[in-house]
Amino acid sequence: MNRIEFDVVVVGAGPAGITAAYLLAKEGLKVALIERGEFPGAKNVMGGQFYSYPMRDIIPEFWEAAPLERAVSEKQLWLLSRESKIGFSYKNPQFGAPPYNAFTVLRAKFDRWYAEKARQAGVVIIPETLVTGIIKKGTQVIGVKTGRENGEIYADVVVAADGVNSLLSKYAGLHGEIESRNVALAVKEIIELPQGVIEDRFQLEKGQGVTIEFMGEFLKGMVGTGFIYTNKTTLSVGIGCLLSDWVDNGVSPYDLIEDLKSHPVVRPLLQKGTVKEYLAHLIPEGGYRSLPPLYTDGMLVTGDAAMLVNGLHQEGSNLAIMSGKFAAETILEARKAGDYSARTLGAYKKKLDESFVIKDLKKYSNAMPLLENNRHFFSTYPRLLSDAADEFIRVDGVPKKKKQRMILKGIFKRRGIIGIIKDALSAWRIVK
Ligand SMILES: Cc1cc2nc3c(=O)[nH]c(=O)nc-3n(C[C@H](O)[C@H](O)[C@H](O)COP(=O)(O)OP(=O)(O)OC[C@H]3O[C@@H](n4cnc5c(N)ncnc54)[C@H](O)[C@@H]3O)c2cc1C
């Protein structure tokens, strides 16, 4: 029987894999894109804000044709106490105009559209096919095994774009099981509401959207955030917390999302909405310190499979696209050199290192350990800030100077001067 051979096999049709496959096919290479889902996007979950950069370099003015939800013109952060909120907001209508900053997307629609672009460029998409192993000749990866009968597929080089908990990286011995403190479990509901209701309720111009991140007491001391993102006729509502925290605290994701939804200041935003879908997915949030080796002889690792997520800025899909682009560039260089060994493929890591991808992850390399060891940012401070606001805004005959003293006394009593200094230093070490 003839061997099935391609120039490149890409495993996983998310933003990383589709980008690599699309760019390589455009250069005339024979590319297979293998996806376990019924179609690209079928199994993919995101909050999600999809940043226009770097997608606009891959498909200029993609917003003219892509199935996008809303252009995000406002970002909000709400710190929730048990019954109130303090909110911060940045709104810029220019973010809602070309070249746009970010869009809300529903990945099942978006990935399907993007993969169709790749198919039109010549990529052979093989859906409903699980990759179950890699094929090696000595140290060189030369193909993949699939769950299909006689399903070996050979290639000069394999791109692992199979998402968080990448089986391909494990088969290649690049990393083992991800530690539960390096990964977040996110749960998300899609809640349907009429388009006009969403625009009135969130004070949006037609076609524009808002993202709201939540921190506070509803997290029960866990490291994580909640979110609401506005789509055209739905809201994406969810919570993501470190997997180790869910396990250690024994909190049910279902209960926590219900707590968020029934919070007195969140509830009115969701009123009369109908839950259409409930989804759960892991997010690799270990940051720079958790990066596995990103290449080996005959294989490159991209996107979530490579742990390329900037959790503090909710950036993952854009890093996945950047890595897919760098993988494609590196493969074209390797093809020219006729050498797919780690020595040549190492250029991929160099490209990532020199870009904002690794520079940003490096900048926040202290963030996860510091946040994990200091939970006050997620619960104590939202409470203290809202108590202070409550005291200061409430008119009850108490003189303002006395109120000021009461606020400071409350803060020092809850956290202490040493604690506050420590937290300020931690915050500085996270952002510096
Ligand atoms: C709840 C949530 C909210 C998020 N919010 C944001 C956000 O707002 N902004 C943002 O930029 N990022 C966000 N992210 C992160 C973002 O979704 C990811 O970083 C991004 O999807 C990574 O793309 P990828 O192509 O590497 O992997 P994925 O999109 O996970 O794609 C991997 C693909 O590989 C396939 N696959 C896996 N294993 C196999 C196998 N063995 N054989 C064949 N196919 C396989 C999967 O079915 C999937 O299609 C969020 C993630 C979650 C879970």
Side-chain angles (χ1 to χ4, degrees):
M1 211 187 75
N2 286 342
R3 274 176 30 151
I4 305 173
E5 284 186 42
F6 285 85
D7 294 324
V8 184
V9 165
V10 180
V11 180
I18 301 172
T19 302
Y22 173 70
L23 294 176
L24 289 165
K26 266 182 56 177
E27 294 300 318
L29 272 66
K30 219 176 130 202
V31 185
L33 176 59
I34 307 177
E35 167 56 43
R36 65 180 172 178
E38 190 189 332
F39 56 87
K43 290 195 174 288
N44 294 345
V45 180
M46 194 166 109
Q49 303 165 72
F50 184 83
Y51 296 94
S52 161
Y53 181 87
M55 185 66 194
R56 58 180 186 250
D57 286 346
I58 313 280
I59 300 184
E61 299 183 4
F62 67 95
W63 50 83
E64 299 288 351
L68 304 164
E69 293 296 312
R70 289 175 181 274
V72 180
S73 56
E74 184 174 10
K75 272 173 102 76
Q76 297 188 9
L77 171 66
W78 290 17
L79 305 179
L80 301 180
S81 73
R82 218 156 284 144
E83 61 294 315
S84 63
K85 71 141 192 188
I86 290 194
F88 302 91
S89 158
Y90 177 72
K91 184 164 186 160
N92 184 347
Q94 281 184 0
F95 279 3
Y100 300 97
N101 186 52
F103 296 91
T104 49
V105 293
L106 295 169
R107 288 280 303 278
K109 290 185 197 167
F110 181 83
D111 289 8
R112 201 173 194 175
W113 171 84
Y114 191 19
E116 178 54 22
K117 287 275 162 204
R119 196 192 60 76
Q120 286 165 7
V123 173
V124 176
I125 298 177
I126 310 175
E128 292 186 274
T129 303
L130 183 72
V131 170
T132 53
I134 53 172
I135 308 168
K136 276 175 126 180
K137 189 174 176 190
T139 59
Q140 189 80 16
V141 177
I142 56 163
V144 296
K145 295 176 194 160
T146 69
R148 292 180 181 272
E149 204 176 320
N150 300 318
E152 286 87 14
I153 303 179
Y154 292 84
D156 291 333
V157 62
V158 170
V159 178
D162 52 339
V164 59
N165 224 356
S166 162
L167 290 179
L168 260 81
S169 305
K170 284 182 198 161
Y171 297 144
L174 295 178
H175 67 75
E177 291 301 327
I178 306 180
E179 285 181 48
S180 58
R181 50 198 278 279
N182 284 336
V183 74
L185 170 67
V187 287
K188 168 181 159 177
E189 287 183 1
I190 296 185
I191 298 181
E192 193 174 61
L193 277 168
Q195 182 163 341
V197 171
I198 293 179
E199 282 159 7
D200 288 348
R201 225 173 249 184
F202 291 85
Q203 298 174 7
L204 299 170
E205 299 274 353
K206 201 162 183 278
Q208 299 209 353
V210 59
T211 64
I212 310 176
E213 311 290 336
F214 303 99
M215 292 195 328
E217 291 192 309
F218 72 99
L219 289 169
K220 301 194 170 26
M222 300 199 291
V223 175
T225 50
F227 58 84
I228 293 182
Y229 298 153
T230 53
N231 304 315
K232 270 186 192 140
T233 57
T234 57
L235 302 175
S236 294
V237 182
I239 295 179
C241 292
L242 285 183
L243 184 57
S244 50
D245 277 4
W246 290 110
V247 175
D248 294 347
N249 287 277
V251 180
S252 132
Y254 179 79
D255 288 345
L256 209 68
I257 207 170
E258 285 306 314
D259 282 357
L260 174 65
K261 284 165 58 186
S262 57
H263 189 284
V265 299
V266 177
R267 198 173 47 226
L269 298 176
L270 310 176
Q271 241 163 29
K272 297 204 172 137
T274 312
V275 177
K276 285 286 166 192
E277 274 182 77
Y278 186 83
L279 307 147
H281 207 275
L282 296 174
I283 311 176
E285 294 213 336
Y288 184 72
R289 295 179 190 216
S290 69
L291 294 184
L294 301 183
Y295 60 93
T296 183
D297 291 326
M299 189 170 113
L300 294 170
V301 188
T302 58
D304 277 13
M307 308 283 286
L308 298 175
V309 167
N310 180 342
L312 283 189
H313 286 263
Q314 289 96 35
E315 292 183 32
S317 55
N318 53 334
L319 307 193
I321 289 176
M322 285 298 286
S323 64
K325 175 174 166 256
F326 289 144
E329 286 173 10
T330 307
I331 289 169
L332 291 172
E333 287 159 17
R335 188 175 164 85
K336 233 183 201 167
D339 175 20
Y340 296 97
S341 71
R343 203 180 31 177
T344 309
L345 296 184
Y348 167 63
K349 175 71 175 27
K350 203 157 171 255
K351 289 174 197 287
L352 282 168
D353 282 343
E354 285 167 1
S355 73
F356 76 92
V357 176
I358 297 291
K359 284 183 180 160
D360 283 356
L361 292 182
K362 233 180 195 169
K363 168 176 160 56
Y364 293 117
S365 59
N366 289 324
M368 283 325 281
L370 284 170
L371 291 173
E372 214 189 321
N373 291 322
N374 186 338
R375 276 118 203 287
H376 299 290
F377 295 117
F378 294 90
S379 42
T380 312
Y381 285 105
R383 170 90 246 172
L384 286 176
L385 279 170
S386 83
D387 284 353
D390 190 277
E391 188 60 58
F392 214 65
I393 289 164
R394 194 182 293 272
V395 176
D396 52 7
V398 178
K400 300 289 183 263
K401 204 156 193 173
K402 187 167 178 200
K403 278 179 178 286
Q404 223 164 297
R405 270 203 308 274
M406 283 160 65
I407 289 169
L408 288 174
K409 211 168 142 194
I411 292 174
F412 290 129
K413 193 168 156 217
R414 286 284 293 275
R415 190 61 193 119
I417 186 86
I418 303 288
I420 290 171
I421 292 170
K422 267 192 189 159
D423 297 341
L425 281 174
S426 292
W428 170 244
R429 286 182 65 204
I430 289 169
V431 299
K432 84 174 161 67

